[in-house]
Amino acid sequence: MASFSQQTYAQRAEQHTHPLVKRLFAIMERKKTNLSLAADVSSKAELLDLADKVGPYICILKTHVDIIADFDAHLAESLAALAEKHDFLIFEDRKFADIGNTVKLQYGGGIYRIADWAHITNCHTVPGEGIIQGLAEVGESGGRGLLLLAEMSSKGMLATGAYTEKTVEMAVRNSFVIGFIGSRRFTEDRDLLTMTPGVGLHASGDALGQQYRTPDAIVTANGSDVIIVGRAIYGPDKDPVAEALRYQEAGWNAYLKRLQH
């Protein structure tokens, strides 16, 4: 059987068994985008303004609500309204990393109530498979999905080798898991997404160890499904709409090139 990465998003949407992934692939095909915006801003106003401007060009909005200084329940409602308006999903990049019972409380409760509004979240697998089971007890019945951190984009990261292999094994056998954070396609045992951070139109890095790779390297060569881009779109002296369009086009063209290989 051909790799899942050699199939179109439309074909994968038709065949997939997870409703949330079917919905995501349909959005990607409909909007001709595999771009996720990493909206690492610190106020409600900034986040909502950015989401509204860039929403037409993305398939997923990635948030870090714990850096929003003025977070309240109204923000979650406003994000949900923008997701409906612009046809994208919301991914809260929480990176849960505790035992199953604790993450249940963190995911379903607290001041953020992430499971109520985020279609997707993610976790480390350091605590073992119980973290997946704990999160699934909260999110699975609501149609949510979980990504496992198989790799990270920072220099010197420790998620490699046997750790990554064990993470992939956990993903394959847990239906609540819909994919990975990583730089490549990890398995053909299930159609599991890969979302890749640290993507830039020019390979480089920053002073804190972030490493950037191009859409062609990540999507065409490595078989990743969604590129995650942040400061390159909305950083200083950037026009977020113009930059989102550039990355939407670059990511989509990289996907079309992959299909031709």
Side-chain angles (χ1 to χ4, degrees):
M1 184 183 73
S3 169
F4 290 110
S5 64
Q6 291 300 308
Q7 300 176 32
T8 67
Y9 295 135
Q11 289 170 327
R12 292 167 71 184
E14 185 177 344
Q15 298 165 12
H16 214 284
T17 58
H18 198 294
L20 185 62
V21 181
K22 291 175 79 73
R23 180 178 172 189
L24 174 59
F25 281 140
I27 289 170
M28 293 164 73
E29 188 71 36
R30 186 161 54 244
K31 295 177 70 176
K32 301 293 185 285
T33 183
N34 52 14
L35 173 63
S36 170
L37 174 71
D40 296 343
V41 294
S42 58
S43 73
K44 290 192 300 181
E46 288 176 286
L47 178 56
L48 294 174
D49 179 64
L50 189 58
D52 200 20
K53 285 178 177 174
V54 177
Y57 315 106
I58 63 174
C59 58
I60 295 174
L61 176 72
K62 186 176 81 70
T63 60
H64 277 296
V65 291
D66 54 0
I67 65 174
I68 303 295
D70 53 349
F71 175 87
D72 58 27
H74 297 299
L75 174 60
E77 294 169 3
S78 298
L79 284 175
L82 287 173
E84 183 70 23
K85 174 183 176 182
H86 293 303
D87 196 20
F88 61 75
L89 300 183
I90 303 170
F91 165 29
E92 169 53 24
D93 189 6
R94 177 59 177 77
K95 297 186 177 74
F96 291 102
D98 216 315
I99 62 171
N101 189 65
T102 300
V103 298
K104 280 176 61 178
L105 300 173
Q106 292 172 323
Y107 186 31
I111 61 172
Y112 300 122
R113 304 191 65 84
I114 294 165
D116 288 354
W117 52 270
H119 303 96
I120 302 167
T121 194
N122 60 352
C123 75
H124 293 284
T125 55
V126 172
E129 208 150 347
I131 190 172
I132 299 172
Q133 294 159 357
L135 293 167
E137 286 187 20
V138 176
E140 194 156 33
S141 63
R144 304 313 193 191
L146 179 68
L147 302 173
L148 303 186
L149 285 119
E151 296 173 337
M152 295 184 72
S153 57
S154 51
K155 185 177 181 181
M157 61 97 180
L158 301 179
T160 60
Y163 179 89
T164 299
E165 291 172 11
K166 291 291 185 184
T167 298
V168 173
E169 291 171 9
M170 290 183 201
V172 169
R173 61 178 173 254
N174 283 276
S175 61
F176 185 51
V177 177
I178 62 170
F180 305 98
I181 297 295
S183 65
R184 55 192 169 88
R185 179 147 199 94
F186 290 96
T187 182
E188 297 298 330
D189 292 336
R190 278 179 59 203
D191 188 359
L192 291 159
L193 298 166
T194 300
M195 293 183 57
T196 303
V199 176
L201 293 180
H202 306 284
S204 61
D206 70 10
L208 296 177
Q210 176 66 296
Q211 300 177 110
Y212 295 104
R213 293 149 297 180
T214 65
D216 281 353
I218 291 301
V219 177
T220 309
N222 287 9
S224 182
D225 297 302
V226 177
I227 59 172
I228 302 173
V229 185
R231 288 169 285 176
I233 289 176
Y234 61 85
D237 302 319
K238 300 285 188 182
D239 177 341
V241 171
E243 294 301 326
L245 277 164
R246 289 178 71 213
Y247 275 93
Q248 177 192 11
E249 182 177 352
W252 194 257
N253 285 341
Y255 156 70
L256 294 178
K257 278 191 265 186
R258 182 175 83 197
L259 296 177
Q260 294 167 4
H261 285 187

